[in-house]
Amino acid sequence: MQILRGTKRQITLMEWNEQLEKAKKRLENSKECYRRFGDGDSKQWIAEDEQKVAEIEQKIEKVIAYMDAHNIQ
């Protein structure tokens, strides 16, 4: 188990950024599959992955706003 050091804000944002990076990597993989194979499934995967990235970005914004509102450092 990894021991995280830092403030609650830093740790929380680091964890959310890890999820965002994974989602972006998956999106890039889906785009690469579409480029190589050009099938309908790949298009659907791209749409799903883009939606997932957008959702995570929105959640990060909400978390930051919550932490700012509650003075969480």
Side-chain angles (χ1 to χ4, degrees), residues 4-41:
L4 301 175
R5 297 189 189 273
T7 64
K8 287 183 182 181
R9 183 182 191 96
Q10 291 170 332
I11 293 170
T12 301
L13 292 177
M14 182 177 59
E15 290 172 346
W16 277 104
N17 282 328
E18 286 176 4
Q19 288 185 16
L20 181 60
E21 290 303 314
K22 287 179 186 178
K24 285 182 178 180
K25 184 175 180 179
R26 184 173 173 172
L27 175 60
E28 291 303 315
N29 288 340
S30 296
K31 287 180 179 179
E32 181 63 22
C33 286
Y34 181 71
R35 187 186 69 77
R36 288 185 181 182
F37 306 113
D39 58 353
D41 288 340

Side-chain angles (χ1 to χ4, degrees), residues 12-13 16-20 54-67:
T12 301
L13 292 177
W16 277 104
N17 282 328
E18 286 176 4
Q19 288 185 16
L20 181 60
E55 287 174 4
I56 292 172
E57 288 173 343
Q58 288 175 351
K59 287 180 182 179
I60 290 173
E61 289 175 9
K62 288 180 183 178
V63 167
I64 290 172
Y66 178 84
M67 288 190 292

